[in-house]
Amino acid sequence: MVWLRFLLSAAVVVYAAIKLAEYGDIIAVRTKLGGLFVGTIFLAGATSLPELIASISAFQAGFPNLAAGNFFGSNMVNMMLLAIVDLINYQVPLLRRIAISHALTAALTTILMLIAIISILDEVDITIGWVGLDSLVIIGLYFGGIWLIQRENKGPGEPAPTPEPADDFPTLRRGMIGFGLSAVALIVVVPILVSASTEIAEITGLGTGFIGTALLSLVTSLPELLAALAAMRMNAFDMAVGNLFGSSVFNMLGLGIADFFYLDGRFLGAIDENFVLVGLLGLLLTNMALVGNLARVERKFLFIELDTIATILVYLLGMFLLYTRGIGA
């Protein structure tokens, strides 16, 4: 029965993620915001909602480490998924095809992850009400960084003229409604998928902490992969990469927002210090992708980009390291 719930809910997630990419493209065209902005904000935010919902459910059930593993583990998964998308699109190096502006998103992710890691390690318990000051700083820096990304995306001078869509192109209203309904479908179905996944993990005997970092983060990142692949099929490369980079930075926003739902003190202060290793691995993978975006030089082994191979290997070795150390067990 649990396997049937898993397969059915996964199928709904697949469909909703594909529709998210389609409606996100409509919003990008009709608002003339561009694929980078829609991918970084709208699409990344919607496809990252499963991580936020799953994590809130986890620590409300008394497992803050499961929630932390989901957030940090999802950032590791996002960079691995970026490498997989690049591997699928091996004819053209993806990271060197899209805008360098994505480097700002990766840099913002790095800053927010560093603040989160420091907050886990320090013993400065400063709160405003029941919410940690560090969480409020992360939230503030997120919105400041997104404003900067949007400003830099516009560039100096007059914007380039954007061709008008065809007469039969869907309206903005249809795009917004469809996008919202698809996001709601993810919000409703993903908890079922997460529940089935954790039951399967319990049957296998894996530890709860490792489930959050490996299995739960992988399951809740399925929308990012499917939305990115759907965007790639439409040649919306900036939206595909913006979704994965933007999802990582949105996960850090979710880490700050989650503190509002954690009523037993400062959320980042309640996380096991061993999860710093998960955060550092996420930092390493994010910066590897950042270098791949900035270094516009092709480096191939046979037909595969070397940075793509390196990212996948680092992710797999990182998972093995976390397993052997019994993170969060």
Side-chain angles (χ1 to χ4, degrees):
M1 187 64 182
V2 64
W3 287 103
L4 181 61
R5 282 195 290 121
F6 177 86
L7 292 174
L8 289 176
S9 56
V12 176
V13 169
V14 169
Y15 181 76
I18 292 174
K19 302 306 290 185
L20 271 179
E22 293 178 2
Y23 290 120
D25 186 54
I26 295 172
I27 295 172
V29 172
R30 286 297 184 184
T31 59
K32 301 180 180 180
L33 290 173
L36 185 147
F37 181 76
V38 172
T40 303
I41 304 297
F42 289 105
L43 192 55
T47 55
S48 293
L49 285 176
E51 282 91 337
L52 180 59
I53 296 169
S55 294
I56 291 174
S57 300
F59 63 67
Q60 283 183 337
F63 301 104
N65 287 335
L66 183 64
N70 184 32
F71 280 124
F72 285 120
S74 292
N75 280 11
M76 292 180 62
V77 173
N78 285 338
M79 296 303 100
M80 189 266 292
L81 295 181
L82 184 60
I84 290 176
V85 172
D86 199 8
L87 187 63
I88 294 173
N89 191 59
Y90 66 88
Q91 296 91 343
V92 180
L94 180 60
L95 285 174
R96 280 170 283 287
R97 182 168 185 169
I98 48 89
I100 294 182
S101 304
H102 289 293
L104 281 174
T105 310
L108 177 60
T109 304
T110 297
I111 292 172
L112 297 182
M113 290 185 72
L114 280 172
I115 293 174
I117 290 170
I118 293 171
S119 299
I120 293 173
L121 289 173
D122 69 35
E123 297 180 358
V124 181
D125 194 17
I126 302 176
T127 60
I128 298 178
W130 70 91
V131 180
L133 179 61
D134 42 18
S135 296
L136 296 175
V137 169
I138 289 174
I139 293 172
L141 286 176
Y142 169 84
F143 287 106
I146 291 300
W147 171 82
L148 177 62
I149 291 169
Q150 174 62 3
R151 193 193 70 170
E152 292 298 317
N153 187 33
K154 291 179 179 178
E158 294 295 326
T162 304
E164 291 296 324
D167 293 336
D168 58 348
F169 194 81
T171 63
L172 176 61
R173 181 172 180 270
R174 179 178 174 183
M176 294 293 289
I177 293 175
F179 192 92
L181 291 175
S182 300
V184 169
L186 282 176
I187 294 173
V188 171
V189 175
V190 164
I192 302 174
L193 181 63
V194 171
S195 174
S197 301
T198 53
E199 287 183 38
I200 292 171
E202 289 175 2
I203 294 172
T204 62
L206 295 173
T208 304
F210 188 73
I211 289 173
T213 303
L215 181 62
L216 185 58
S217 64
L218 182 61
V219 170
T220 55
S221 293
L222 280 177
E224 279 89 343
L225 173 62
L226 298 167
L229 290 176
M232 291 288 292
R233 286 197 297 271
M234 297 184 294
N235 293 324
F237 300 108
D238 275 310
M239 186 184 297
V241 176
N243 174 38
L244 291 169
F245 274 140
S247 177
S248 291
V249 74
F250 191 89
N251 285 338
M252 294 300 97
L253 172 67
L255 195 67
I257 293 176
D259 205 345
F260 285 87
F261 298 88
Y262 186 74
L263 306 180
D264 296 330
R266 188 170 62 93
F267 177 39
L268 289 171
I271 298 172
D272 191 323
E273 291 185 358
N274 287 327
F275 278 87
V276 168
L277 179 57
V278 185
L280 291 174
L281 286 170
L283 273 177
L284 175 59
L285 290 167
T286 301
N287 281 277
M288 288 173 66
L290 175 60
V291 171
N293 183 222
L294 293 175
R296 305 256 162 170
V297 179
E298 292 192 21
R299 302 171 296 276
K300 287 189 175 182
F301 175 74
L302 298 178
F303 61 90
I304 305 174
E305 287 286 312
L306 289 178
D307 48 3
T308 298
I309 299 173
T311 299
I312 295 175
L313 284 177
V314 169
Y315 174 81
L316 294 175
L317 290 173
M319 285 293 105
F320 177 74
L321 175 61
L322 295 176
Y323 176 76
T324 56
R325 290 179 61 91
I327 295 296

